[in-house]
Amino acid sequence: MKKEYDYIIIGGGIIGVATAYKLALKCPTKTILVLEKEPQLASHQTGNNSGVVHSGIYYTPGSLKAKNCTNGRGQLIDFAIKHNISFEMCGKLIAAFEESEIETLQKIYNNGIKNGLKDIKILTSEESKIYEPYIDCIKSIYVPYTGIIDYKQVVEVLSQEFQRINSKNKVLKNVKVVAVGNNVNKKSIITANDTFVTNYAIFAAGLQADEMAKLDNINLDLQIVGFRGDYYNVVNEGVKKVKGLIYPVPNINLPFLGVHLTKMHDGSIEAGPNAVFSFKKEGYSRTSFSIKDTLRAFRFKGLWKLFYGYWKIGLGEYKRAFSKKLFLTSLQRLVPDLKNKDIIKGKSGVRAQALNSEGKLIDDFLIKKTKNSLHIVNAPSPAATACLAIADEVINKLFDKNKN
């Protein structure tokens, strides 16, 4: 088996594989290897999110999130059409249920206009019912730029295409990186069973981004914290009560959008996610626990500062995580006619979120470049939507000597 490649990408989620694809397009004669520690690609954030194609309405104008979400959404839809990938631009409502939320709703609308979403519109209570007959809100924003897609299928097609461009390009699964070495102008990527050599390494490790940076001797004043999101599946008569996507007005001081209702690419309806600190970075049940991950997180002073600032919100999220009744109450704000029998426990996902030592959640995408490596340190939602644009950003940094 070949052990030396021009580029090695560590991480087989949607960002890593999109980067491999874009790099292969730019450098079709160069050899590229993708290393994934799991038996399947897209095993973590990519394969356990809600499958939403995001519009970019929430993000600070001029930020990497805003720019890459808009650009990436267009690229993603074009790619899906070209490769016959299942998606639907069904639109969504962001709904206000109390007068106190109207000001924030207006701020979100203004933000969307600044981000180029010309066709969003504010709806009255009655107008909202045209899109979602079972909703009972005061006002809402209709966002036609939001959709749903099968991100696992996107990753599979990206992987096939990147290997088709150059038959020497490879994806290796079940390969965990345990060390990183530097030899003059080469990089050694050491796994449990092999050592691979490359001119340049790109790390797209998601939940393990900080661990990979540490292996590469990069000092970060931050840590990746896992936030678990639990979902319920809407079943029975409940399915008829949701037409598309329904979101509440979020707390704009936090990078989470609140429990929402999502029509999936296969026609099913999903409810969630909440957002609770995960005691295991890759833990997908409500009781998942890792002593190593927990101790490492609790030794980081930024986590305690975050807990101190948001303990009431955190406590409420934990209560809801273990109470179907409380979860249903959140959903009934969106659709009052939902019943207990209309929801059953579904999957969970874990979101990788960078947190600095001051207890601040890093709100934007964060990419760190060294002499012969590049680390995608923070890429939370809308990273899946923006994957092809983030890949462009990575490649621009890669080939621009002046960009750090």
Side-chain angles (χ1 to χ4, degrees):
M1 182 173 63
K2 181 178 166 67
K3 295 292 176 67
E4 187 161 348
Y5 290 80
D6 294 305
Y7 298 96
I8 294 179
I9 296 170
I10 295 90
I14 200 165
I15 302 295
V17 181
T19 301
Y21 168 69
K22 283 297 187 92
L23 192 54
L25 286 176
K26 183 173 178 66
C27 309
T29 61
K30 299 291 186 183
T31 55
I32 305 165
L33 172 67
V34 173
L35 298 177
E36 168 54 47
K37 70 181 175 66
E38 304 295 350
Q40 299 297 329
L41 298 175
S43 290
H44 292 293
Q45 293 185 96
T46 305
N48 292 290
N49 65 29
S50 52
V52 175
V53 177
H54 287 285
S55 65
I57 193 169
Y58 302 105
Y59 314 122
T60 305
S63 66
L64 284 175
K65 275 189 177 182
K67 182 176 74 168
N68 286 303
C69 186
T70 304
N71 176 352
R73 172 167 41 81
Q75 288 196 54
L76 180 67
I77 297 310
D78 289 346
F79 186 84
I81 291 168
K82 182 177 179 182
H83 296 283
N84 199 28
I85 295 169
S86 168
F87 81 98
E88 180 188 348
M89 299 307 288
C90 53
K92 80 170 178 182
L93 293 184
I94 305 169
F97 301 93
E98 298 171 19
E99 289 294 336
S100 59
E101 296 174 326
I102 298 297
E103 185 181 346
T104 301
L105 192 77
Q106 186 64 50
K107 283 180 182 175
I108 292 169
Y109 174 83
N110 296 341
N111 206 72
I113 295 296
K114 287 176 187 172
N115 284 342
L117 308 182
K118 301 190 302 292
D119 296 328
I120 59 175
K121 51 190 177 183
I122 292 183
L123 306 178
T124 65
S125 177
E126 286 307 307
E127 288 168 337
S128 301
K129 287 180 182 293
I130 296 170
Y131 295 94
E132 293 291 345
Y134 289 87
I135 201 171
D136 189 16
C137 63
I138 303 170
K139 278 187 178 180
S140 71
I141 303 171
Y142 175 63
V143 188
Y145 303 92
T146 302
I148 45 176
I149 197 165
D150 184 348
Y151 281 120
K152 281 189 174 180
Q153 193 182 357
V154 174
V155 170
E156 284 305 320
V157 176
L158 284 168
S159 174
Q160 290 162 15
E161 288 299 301
F162 129 79
Q163 292 175 86
R164 184 185 59 78
I165 291 166
N166 183 340
S167 62
K168 293 179 181 176
N169 292 345
K170 290 283 178 285
V171 174
L172 293 181
K173 302 167 190 174
N174 286 310
V175 178
K176 183 177 181 179
V177 173
V178 296
V180 177
N182 285 294
N183 314 305
V184 192
N185 292 321
K186 298 282 186 180
K187 204 96 175 166
S188 296
I189 306 299
I190 300 147
T191 72
N193 298 313
D194 291 295
T195 296
F196 298 92
V197 178
T198 186
N199 298 324
Y200 208 96
I202 299 167
F203 294 82
L207 286 156
Q208 307 300 335
D210 53 349
E211 296 285 344
M212 290 295 110
K214 190 192 293 182
L215 288 184
D216 199 22
N217 293 316
I218 294 174
N219 292 317
L220 299 172
D221 181 33
L222 56 81
Q223 193 161 302
I224 298 298
V225 176
F227 286 91
R228 194 188 72 251
D230 305 309
Y231 294 86
Y232 278 79
N233 297 322
V234 179
V235 295
N236 303 323
E237 292 299 306
V239 175
K240 299 173 187 174
K241 299 168 187 174
V242 181
K243 301 297 180 192
L245 284 73
I246 309 173
Y247 282 61
V249 174
N251 179 342
I252 55 175
N253 297 315
L254 290 170
F256 308 111
L257 299 178
V259 167
H260 46 270
L261 290 157
T262 306
K263 176 186 174 183
M264 305 297 283
H265 66 90
D266 61 1
S268 62
I269 307 290
E270 206 168 61
N274 56 353
V276 298
F277 170 75
S278 179
F279 289 90
K280 184 178 181 181
K281 270 190 176 179
E282 296 172 0
Y284 297 104
S285 78
R286 289 161 174 81
T287 55
S288 293
F289 181 80
S290 159
I291 188 71
K292 179 189 169 191
D293 290 350
T294 301
L295 286 176
R296 186 168 182 272
F298 279 17
R299 288 189 192 114
F300 185 57
K301 65 180 180 180
L303 185 66
W304 291 104
K305 290 182 178 180
L306 178 75
F307 285 167
Y308 180 76
Y310 294 102
W311 70 269
K312 281 186 181 176
I313 293 172
L315 187 60
E317 290 286 321
Y318 260 104
K319 285 180 179 176
R320 185 167 57 183
F322 290 93
S323 169
K324 182 181 181 182
K325 183 180 177 182
L326 289 176
F327 213 105
L328 179 63
T329 300
S330 297
L331 297 175
Q332 285 172 332
R333 280 195 84 217
L334 307 178
V335 176
D337 202 35
L338 278 176
K339 305 287 193 296
N340 185 66
K341 65 182 180 181
D342 292 336
I343 63 169
I344 59 172
K345 270 188 184 178
K347 70 183 186 192
S348 292
V350 181
R351 169 182 174 142
Q353 175 66 55
L355 175 71
N356 70 18
S357 58
E358 296 305 308
K360 297 282 192 298
L361 296 164
I362 308 299
D363 191 43
D364 210 356
F365 298 146
L366 181 63
I367 300 170
K368 293 278 188 185
K369 180 184 172 187
T370 70
K371 177 187 163 195
N372 56 356
S373 67
L374 183 145
H375 290 255
I376 302 158
V377 178
N378 193 50
S381 180
T385 302
C387 64
L388 292 165
I390 294 172
D392 291 336
E393 196 86 37
V394 166
I395 289 161
N396 288 340
K397 277 185 176 284
L398 206 61
F399 290 97
D400 187 336
K401 297 274 191 291
N402 299 315
K403 280 193 177 182
N404 293 315

